[in-house]
Amino acid sequence: MFVLESKVVIGDYEFKSIHNLEFTKSVDDLVDTAIIQLPTKFKIKQNNVLKFTEEAIKVGDAVAITVGYKNQYSATEFVGYVRKIMPTIPVEIHCEDAMYVLRRKTINKAWNEPTTLKEVLTEVIKDTDIQLANNIPDIPLDKFIIKNANCTQVLQNLKKNLRLTAFINDDNELYCGLQQFTNIGDEVDYDLNYNLVENNLEFKFNDERQIRVRYIYTDEEGNQKEAQFGDTTGELRTYRTAIVSDLETLEQMAQTEINRLKFDGFEGSVKTFLIPFATRGMKANIIDQDHTNREGAYFINKVKTTFGTGGARRTVTVGTKL
């Protein structure tokens, strides 16, 4: 029998009486988030003093969430900071990962000569405990100016202009680059006829995904460079950038986006129990004994984990076929 257990540490306090937990990690979203529902009052174990939860916990307090099954599995799956406290019943504690730190750091800096993505990211994490991931791609940038912007705004700018993924991984490292390079090397198996709570996957063929991608660079004088890939009659997706003028890089970005969007395979999500463990960046092996021709490996884009009185579940969203 699997017995749920959890521990939430917020600031100086440890909670084991928890109504519900929900935390989400995604390579598509800049910030990992968590929502913790706690009783409105609690007693301190050491001296039996009664405290109101909303008064004891403060915005900015460090957070660590551990979940598992007793004697079967236990892991600290979310680490971050309190972003907001909702004085509801039960009390809701809204948290985010180390992006909380970057959101509070402001940058004013100008690269008036060509620079690189890595140089900009190094400035983003400067004077924080966050490290830079070792697989940042070598992407050239034209002059890059940051005027009184916080670091998350800088990262959103890079995501928008370069169509990159940006997030802080489970090793507290900032990654910003192409999504396919975020694969962490671990994998999980999902048998569509066996170990799922829900199957919300849909199989589509390549030719059902009619898509054309266009990248356009425009300089300050209105001159443009353009790169296109995909189906000539497909749905056109246009992306614009003002910081990448290198045509080869634009072509690589367009080809990468097409590869991400067009393939024979599944799209959607599966819902599982707490085990097998899964997180964003892992490889999901989809097993279908009724349709073995549809079996394959997929990149996990997003995992939403819930834990509470109704049990523990993971909703795993798959993306590109590997």
Side-chain angles (χ1 to χ4, degrees):
M1 181 177 179
F2 291 91
V3 178
L4 292 172
E5 62 179 6
S6 63
K7 180 179 72 174
V8 174
V9 178
I10 306 177
D12 296 327
Y13 304 105
E14 179 180 309
F15 300 90
K16 291 189 176 179
S17 296
I18 298 161
H19 285 279
N20 287 291
L21 298 170
E22 175 184 304
F23 49 92
T24 303
K25 296 183 176 184
S26 172
V27 299
D28 299 316
D29 298 329
L30 191 64
V31 183
D32 292 345
T33 61
I35 299 175
I36 307 166
Q37 292 185 341
L38 296 173
T40 57
K41 301 176 184 178
F42 69 95
K43 285 186 178 180
I44 300 176
K45 184 177 181 180
Q46 290 82 350
N47 55 21
N48 215 32
V49 172
L50 184 68
K51 284 186 173 288
F52 286 96
T53 304
E54 63 189 73
E55 295 177 352
I57 294 172
K58 306 299 181 185
V59 171
D61 280 350
V63 176
I65 300 174
T66 301
V67 295
Y69 296 115
K70 190 173 182 178
N71 299 324
Q72 298 290 331
Y73 167 79
S74 180
T76 300
E77 295 199 14
F78 181 90
V79 176
Y81 300 87
V82 175
R83 179 177 62 85
K84 182 170 61 175
I85 301 167
M86 302 291 290
T88 54
I89 301 176
V91 176
E92 279 194 0
I93 312 299
H94 291 242
C95 312
E96 59 184 38
D97 66 357
M99 282 293 176
Y100 177 89
V101 175
L102 296 183
R103 194 187 305 279
R104 282 149 184 79
K105 177 185 173 183
T106 301
I107 299 179
N108 283 287
K109 188 174 177 66
W111 289 266
N112 293 313
E113 301 293 333
T115 184
T116 65
L117 174 64
K118 188 172 183 178
E119 286 187 30
V120 174
L121 295 178
T122 299
E123 184 66 26
V124 166
I125 64 167
K126 184 180 177 182
D127 299 324
T128 73
D129 292 332
I130 302 166
Q131 302 297 311
L132 201 60
N134 60 10
N135 56 341
I136 302 297
D138 184 19
I139 296 179
L141 304 176
D142 294 340
K143 67 177 184 179
F144 194 79
I145 300 173
I146 304 173
K147 292 182 179 179
N148 198 35
N150 70 52
C151 294
T152 55
Q153 291 172 324
V154 175
L155 293 173
Q156 290 286 17
N157 181 309
L158 291 169
K159 286 185 65 176
K160 177 182 177 181
N161 279 282
L162 300 174
R163 296 299 299 169
L164 299 177
T165 291
F167 63 95
I168 294 175
N169 64 28
D170 293 344
D171 294 322
N172 203 41
E173 297 172 339
L174 173 64
Y175 175 79
C176 183
L178 301 176
Q179 184 185 101
Q180 62 265 36
F181 294 140
T182 65
N183 194 313
I184 62 177
D186 295 332
E187 57 187 82
V188 59
D189 295 335
Y190 295 120
D191 188 330
L192 300 188
N193 302 292
Y194 175 61
N195 66 341
L196 301 181
V197 177
E198 290 181 14
N199 175 7
N200 296 305
L201 295 173
E202 180 183 0
F203 191 90
K204 288 187 176 182
F205 292 98
N206 186 308
D207 56 10
E208 294 181 76
R209 309 171 194 260
Q210 294 291 300
I211 300 169
R212 181 160 52 108
V213 171
R214 177 171 64 185
Y215 269 87
I216 300 175
Y217 163 78
T218 305
D219 64 19
E220 295 177 350
E221 297 178 354
N223 300 312
Q224 294 186 343
K225 292 182 181 180
E226 179 179 311
Q228 289 193 42
F229 278 96
D231 304 298
T232 56
T233 59
E235 173 195 348
L236 178 62
R237 302 192 182 191
T238 299
Y239 305 107
R240 300 182 183 276
T241 177
I243 62 176
V244 176
S245 61
D246 180 67
L247 184 59
E248 183 177 345
T249 302
L250 290 173
E251 291 174 346
Q252 181 186 18
M253 291 161 58
Q255 184 66 70
T256 298
E257 188 70 2
I258 283 293
N259 292 342
R260 188 179 73 85
L261 297 172
K262 284 181 64 66
F263 55 89
D264 292 341
F266 288 106
E267 64 179 33
S269 65
V270 295
K271 183 177 287 187
T272 75
F273 296 102
L274 201 59
I275 51 178
F277 171 77
T279 189
R280 45 106 193 276
M282 288 178 66
K283 177 172 72 173
N285 298 310
I286 305 298
I287 301 167
D288 188 349
Q289 297 176 6
D290 294 333
H291 301 88
T292 55
N293 61 313
R294 297 182 180 181
E295 295 183 337
Y298 295 81
F299 182 84
I300 295 178
N301 282 58
K302 177 180 178 179
V303 177
K304 177 181 177 181
T305 303
T306 58
F307 185 103
T309 54
R313 302 287 188 270
R314 297 192 198 275
T315 301
V316 180
T317 303
V318 299
T320 306
K321 190 174 183 180
L322 301 174

